[in-house]
Amino acid sequence: MLQLKNISFEVQDESEKGTKGILKDISLTIEDQKFIVITGPNGGGKSTLAKIIAGIEKPTSGQILLDGKDITDLGITERAKEGISFAFQQPVRFKGITVRDLINMAFGEKLNTAQACKYLAEVGLCARDYIDREVNASLSGGELKRIEIATVLARGTKLSVFDEPEAGIDLWSFHNLIKVFEKLHDQTNGSIVIISHQERILNIADKIVVIADGSVVQTGKKDEILPELLSGTGGCKYYDEEGK
C-alpha cells in the first residue's frame, strides 16, 4: 500500500521571483492490487504527482510511505528496488539495446528465449518478430509502449505507474493498449496507477482520482466519479473539453 501524506511541491517562479505551488497538500492512499486512474485538466499537477511517486521529483513537504516504510527521501533507483515501476509518456529508445536486453534487465537476470517471449506475448506482440529487434526509431510509438509494459510485467513490481500511455500513438495501437491494460487489471498482483484523460482507460479503473489546480478535488469508485466526468457536473466540465 502506498500512502501520500500532505504532499506539496513548489518550483521557482522567475516571473514573480518567488515560488509557485504545483501540488498542494495532497493526501492519497493507493491500496494493494487496485487499478487507479488519476485524471484532471492539463496543468493540474497529474504528471508531477506521478514523478513524485516514482522518485523522479522530491516533494517540498509531506511524507510518502510504501507498506509502512518512509520512502520520501529515496530517489528513482532506490524506489525501483523497493518495487515501484515508472513508464514515461514517451518511452526511451536505446541505441544498440535489443528488446531481449530490456526484458532481461527488467527481470534482473538472463531469461531463456521462451521466458522472455512470454512477456511480449502478454502484451499482444508476436515474440519472434520483436525479441531480437533493436529498440530504436524503427519501432512505432504503439510498439514501444507495449514493449515498455512488457518490461513492467517482467519486473513484477508492487506498484506500476504509467504517465499518459495513450500519448502519441495511433487509434489502432490505442485499442490494443486498452486490451493490454484490461489484461493487467485482471491478472496483476500489484497496483497500477495510470495518468490519463481517456474514457476507455477511466472505464476499467477501480478508483478514479481527479486532480485540478494541484489539489485532489474528487476521489471515489469509477461508478461514482465517471458519470460526473462525462456529464460535466461536479466541477469536472474540463473532461468534455480536454479529455477527448
Side-chain angles (χ1 to χ4, degrees):
M1 181 171 67
L2 184 78
Q3 294 173 285
L4 307 178
K5 297 185 175 183
N6 308 111
I7 294 295
S8 294
F9 181 72
E10 298 177 346
V11 295
Q12 288 296 125
D13 189 343
E14 295 182 0
S15 63
E16 297 182 7
K17 296 182 181 181
T19 59
K20 178 181 179 181
I22 305 299
L23 298 177
K24 305 165 186 176
D25 197 35
I26 286 182
S27 293
L28 182 66
T29 297
I30 298 170
E31 297 89 353
D32 293 338
Q33 299 183 338
K34 294 295 183 181
F35 192 113
I36 312 297
V37 177
I38 298 175
T39 192
N42 293 331
K46 304 182 303 298
S47 290
T48 299
L49 182 61
K51 291 175 181 176
I52 283 177
I53 291 172
I56 297 170
E57 299 283 4
K58 183 178 177 181
T60 306
S61 61
Q63 187 180 34
I64 305 172
L65 302 176
L66 181 64
D67 293 335
K69 179 179 178 179
D70 191 335
I71 62 169
T72 310
D73 294 325
L74 299 186
I76 187 169
T77 301
E78 291 79 12
R79 299 269 179 101
K81 291 177 181 177
E82 293 292 333
I84 297 178
S85 296
F86 182 79
F88 292 87
Q89 283 188 30
Q90 298 297 326
V92 180
R93 301 171 193 257
F94 298 92
K95 185 177 181 180
I97 299 293
T98 67
V99 173
R100 183 195 301 268
D101 294 330
L102 279 183
I103 292 174
N104 285 336
M105 285 188 287
F107 189 78
E109 60 184 76
K110 190 173 182 179
L111 299 170
N112 62 41
T113 300
Q115 290 172 320
C117 286
K118 176 175 74 74
Y119 293 108
L120 291 176
E122 288 186 10
V123 296
L125 295 176
C126 181
R128 66 176 178 271
D129 293 339
Y130 288 91
I131 191 66
D132 291 316
R133 285 183 66 176
E134 188 172 314
V135 185
N136 57 25
S138 69
L139 293 170
S140 71
E143 289 170 329
L144 281 169
K145 289 287 176 69
R146 285 194 274 173
I147 289 167
E148 187 171 36
I149 294 171
T151 64
V152 171
L153 289 173
R155 286 202 62 212
T157 50
K158 297 176 184 176
L159 176 65
S160 302
V161 183
F162 297 88
D163 188 8
E164 297 193 23
E166 70 273 12
I169 63 173
D170 58 78
L171 186 60
W172 184 88
S173 295
F174 177 68
H175 289 323
N176 282 277
L177 194 66
I178 293 297
K179 292 178 182 178
V180 171
F181 282 127
E182 287 174 337
K183 188 173 183 179
L184 277 176
H185 189 194
D186 292 336
Q187 297 182 2
T188 186
N189 290 320
S191 298
I192 299 169
V193 174
I194 298 182
I195 310 299
S196 180
H197 288 293
Q198 290 292 335
E199 179 184 345
R200 288 188 63 187
I201 293 180
L202 288 161
N203 200 46
I204 57 176
D206 295 312
K207 181 178 179 180
I208 295 174
V209 178
V210 183
I211 292 181
D213 193 28
S215 300
V216 174
V217 295
Q218 281 186 299
T219 181
K221 294 180 180 179
K222 171 190 66 181
D223 294 341
E224 300 169 351
I225 303 298
L226 189 54
E228 293 187 6
L229 293 177
L230 296 176
S231 67
T233 61
C236 297
K237 188 177 179 180
Y238 69 85
Y239 182 79
D240 286 334
E241 297 170 350
E242 301 183 21
K244 291 188 178 182

